[in-house]
Amino acid sequence: MNTSKRTYIKDAFSKKTNSEVELFGWVHDVRDLSKIRFLILRDISGRIQTISIKGDSVPEVFELVGKIPRESVVRLKGELKDSKQAPGGKEVIIKDLEVIAVAEHPLPIDVSDHSKTELPKRLDYRFLDLHRERTQAIFKVQSTIVQAYRDFMIKEGAFECLFPSIIGASSEGGTNLFKMKYFEKEAYLSQSCQLYKQMLACSMEKVFAVFPVWRAEKHNTVRHLNEARQFDFEMAFADDKIVMDVLGRCVQYIVHAIVQNHKKELEMFEIELKVPHIKYLTFEEVKEMMKKYKIHIGKDDLSPESEKKLGELFPDTIVFVHDWPLSGKPFYIMPSEKKDKNGEQLSNGFDAIYKGMEISSGGQRIHIPDLLIERLKIKKLNPKDFKDYIDSFRYGAPFHSGWGLGVERLTMLIMGLNNIREAVLFPRDRDRLTP
Ligand code: ATP
Ligand code: MG
């Protein structure tokens, strides 16, 4: 089928009245007023009202408009007219209509604008749910998030790196790994590119990745997935303060790009998005703050309630919580020289909280082999499993720092979604492996 003369719907609105247009798209809605039939046509760029009038139009076209099931795919030729009643001030008088693909009916889920179909059912039919402009809006924004991240990193002088996803040993310790058979051996799906990005920063200096991670966590929450994607960053000759600054500017850059490019999508979700401020607090300061509100915060980790409170206290702000207790951070985080007032050993690790939730963890890493071995043992991990990683710091390894930022988590928070599954095209959670 020749589509060379296709006009995207968005562009039709700026064409001259009476001009001929050839449109391709989905039948969004049909309204039958006996003598006039309206067909609302939709493509990825927008919607337009098209009409067929009994007597004035080709009889077959008038008949066909009344019969096409919603969400069917059509090719439509017609004449553009000004119309006060039509949304956008223009409509198309249909001259020729061809059905390319009929949608079976009834549709298994409601894909209208005010659909009441619940999320699990929508996810069962995600391919059809993606016909909705509201669903598309989330992934249009997510595309910009990824693009803006790459843009920002390239401007920072970082190199995009491609890391392996099949690994021989756990990268962070813990039991939340998916095991797999790898010929005669056992292997795992990567839970993070942590070790690789560190090894790379020790030669390429500034590196970044968009990396899928798999975590066999059994919990079923609205903010965790078993397959997620992360923005990873690692930088040599940098301490935690330097990479917190990079992270803050990175999120500001991403949000700015969304504000610039997605007015329509933000309006659809009734979101007033502002480029965030930056705030720095020590873990101890947050602890004190939460006491005032009688909010429990763990000995060495923030509770979800305390993250929520930080979001309320500091709206439109990325809150960096640094000088984090060492015991609450993974083995590779650099211990600091500081202790808190109870003598608790602190670290150069941090978390970033935005809109009431953790979006990122990071910090300075240990680049000294003996210290790394000591920390591994304390965390009850076997240094033998980390031989290559430890050895990589034996031949001239600079101090370095970095972070990982959850892509779906960030999308969810920016779009004000209640469930992270809304922010993944095809979510993988405890119960869901299809579609
Ligand atoms: P949380 O405390 O929220 O469970 P985490 O500390 O286990 O997260 P990190 O290993 O620090 O997570 O990962 C870095 C970022 O990746 C997190 O800040 C979050 O934005 C995102 N992330 C982590 N785990 C998941 C998950 N299971 N699903 C979706 N995003 C995740
Ligand atoms: Mg974390």
Side-chain angles (χ1 to χ4, degrees):
M1 186 173 278
N2 186 356
T3 56
S4 61
K5 297 219 171 70
R6 179 182 182 185
T7 300
Y8 276 94
I9 287 173
K10 166 172 71 68
D11 300 330
F13 287 96
S14 49
K15 287 209 160 196
K16 281 205 196 89
T17 307
N18 300 329
S19 54
E20 280 267 324
V21 284
E22 182 171 3
L23 308 172
F24 289 80
W26 289 260
V27 176
H28 183 72
D29 201 3
V30 180
R31 279 198 303 276
D32 193 344
L33 305 181
S34 74
K35 286 218 162 107
I36 303 179
R37 285 178 180 160
F38 294 97
L39 185 162
I40 311 298
L41 190 71
R42 186 189 74 236
D43 70 14
I44 194 63
S45 71
R47 287 179 197 178
I48 195 161
Q49 174 171 301
T50 71
I51 67 167
S52 182
I53 302 163
K54 196 174 187 177
D56 292 359
S57 305
V58 189
E60 299 85 64
V61 168
F62 187 78
E63 281 304 303
L64 190 55
V65 172
K67 279 196 286 200
I68 310 176
R70 275 184 178 198
E71 298 307 319
S72 297
V73 179
V74 298
R75 183 179 70 113
L76 186 155
K77 268 192 195 169
E79 203 175 312
L80 209 59
K81 295 282 180 201
D82 290 326
S83 159
K84 285 211 180 83
Q85 286 86 26
K90 290 235 158 78
E91 65 186 11
V92 175
I93 312 292
I94 312 171
K95 301 280 180 215
D96 190 18
L97 184 63
E98 184 185 347
V99 179
I100 298 174
V102 185
E104 285 184 22
H105 258 252
L107 295 170
I109 57 169
D110 180 2
V111 290
S112 65
D113 293 344
H114 304 288
S115 169
K116 293 224 162 38
T117 308
E118 303 276 351
L119 184 60
K121 194 89 200 272
R122 281 174 41 215
L123 293 177
D124 289 343
Y125 294 93
R126 189 54 140 175
F127 39 86
L128 184 54
D129 183 48
L130 278 156
H131 284 218
R132 298 179 70 213
E133 285 182 344
R134 209 179 152 79
T135 308
Q136 290 173 357
I138 296 169
F139 297 104
K140 285 180 177 176
V141 170
Q142 192 167 68
S143 168
T144 297
I145 291 177
V146 179
Q147 172 80 43
Y149 170 68
R150 287 205 161 101
D151 261 13
F152 174 85
M153 281 297 164
I154 297 295
K155 282 186 187 153
E156 284 290 301
F159 298 102
E160 178 159 9
C161 296
L162 309 171
F163 297 112
S165 282
I166 301 176
I167 53 172
S170 155
S171 40
E172 309 226 1
T175 51
N176 54 358
L177 285 167
F178 286 109
K179 206 184 259 186
M180 58 176 279
K181 231 173 100 60
Y182 191 76
F183 303 107
E184 288 74 36
K185 294 196 184 108
E186 247 173 27
Y188 305 93
L189 287 176
S190 179
Q191 80 207 114
S192 116
C193 62
Q194 183 64 33
L195 310 186
Y196 293 97
K197 65 176 176 172
Q198 278 188 251
M199 289 195 269
L200 218 67
C202 288
S203 53
M204 302 281 285
E205 294 211 24
K206 262 193 214 183
V207 299
F208 76 99
V210 181
F211 190 74
V213 299
W214 291 273
R215 298 187 176 187
E217 293 155 348
K218 287 191 176 146
H219 50 48
N220 236 332
T221 78
V222 293
R223 59 191 226 163
H224 291 97
L225 297 159
N226 293 107
E227 179 183 74
R229 268 131 294 244
Q230 284 187 354
F231 290 152
D232 276 284
F233 175 67
E234 202 68 24
M235 179 175 171
F237 305 104
D239 62 10
D240 51 339
K241 282 162 206 72
I242 289 184
V243 298
M244 279 193 270
D245 174 69
V246 175
L247 176 55
R249 288 187 291 109
C250 179
V251 177
Q252 285 176 328
Y253 187 94
I254 290 171
V255 173
H256 179 77
I258 298 169
V259 172
Q260 290 284 306
N261 298 301
H262 292 289
K263 217 166 158 261
K264 185 175 151 196
E265 286 75 20
L266 293 173
E267 264 167 25
M268 198 184 283
F269 282 76
E270 294 173 15
I271 289 164
E272 267 185 56
L273 190 63
K274 293 199 186 97
V275 175
H277 309 284
I278 308 287
K279 172 106 191 149
Y280 290 94
L281 293 169
T282 64
F283 190 87
E284 206 164 15
E285 282 169 331
V286 175
K287 224 165 155 176
E288 286 304 311
M289 218 176 255
M290 293 303 146
K291 261 189 205 160
K292 252 200 327 216
Y293 300 100
K294 299 200 166 50
I295 290 174
H296 167 79
I297 133 169
K299 173 178 154 280
D300 57 14
D301 204 359
L302 294 180
S303 60
E305 303 75 54
S306 60
E307 290 177 5
K308 191 159 168 260
K309 191 73 196 172
L310 285 174
E312 285 164 23
L313 293 170
F314 307 102
D316 295 313
T317 304
I318 300 159
V319 182
F320 284 104
V321 184
H322 57 101
D323 282 322
W324 199 282
L326 183 62
S327 61
K329 285 291 169 195
F331 70 86
Y332 51 77
I333 288 288
M334 183 65 103
S336 95
E337 281 137 28
K338 296 182 217 161
K339 290 191 169 151
D340 75 4
K341 63 175 189 246
N342 298 317
E344 179 78 38
Q345 167 81 60
L346 301 179
S347 74
N348 289 351
F350 63 84
D351 271 14
I353 315 295
Y354 181 44
K355 293 183 182 290
M357 228 177 258
E358 177 192 322
I359 52 164
S360 173
S361 287
Q364 183 176 349
R365 326 300 191 183
I366 298 173
H367 62 290
I368 303 157
D370 288 346
L371 182 55
L372 204 47
I373 291 168
E374 185 189 319
R375 293 296 306 157
L376 278 163
K377 284 181 182 161
I378 288 172
K379 294 279 185 187
K380 306 257 182 308
L381 293 165
N382 187 352
K384 276 194 195 141
D385 291 338
F386 295 85
K387 185 179 179 303
D388 296 333
Y389 173 62
I390 299 165
D391 284 349
S392 78
F393 302 123
R394 293 190 194 277
Y395 310 100
F399 62 98
H400 57 279
S401 303
W403 41 258
L405 169 76
V407 182
E408 294 87 355
R409 188 75 70 82
L410 185 65
T411 310
M412 165 195 187
L413 294 168
I414 286 176
M415 295 306 283
L417 308 171
N418 295 324
N419 192 324
I420 196 165
R421 290 161 183 78
E422 294 256 21
V424 204
L425 285 167
F426 298 100
R428 295 288 172 257
D429 64 23
R430 181 94 195 263
D431 307 312
R432 186 175 293 280
L433 262 175
T434 55

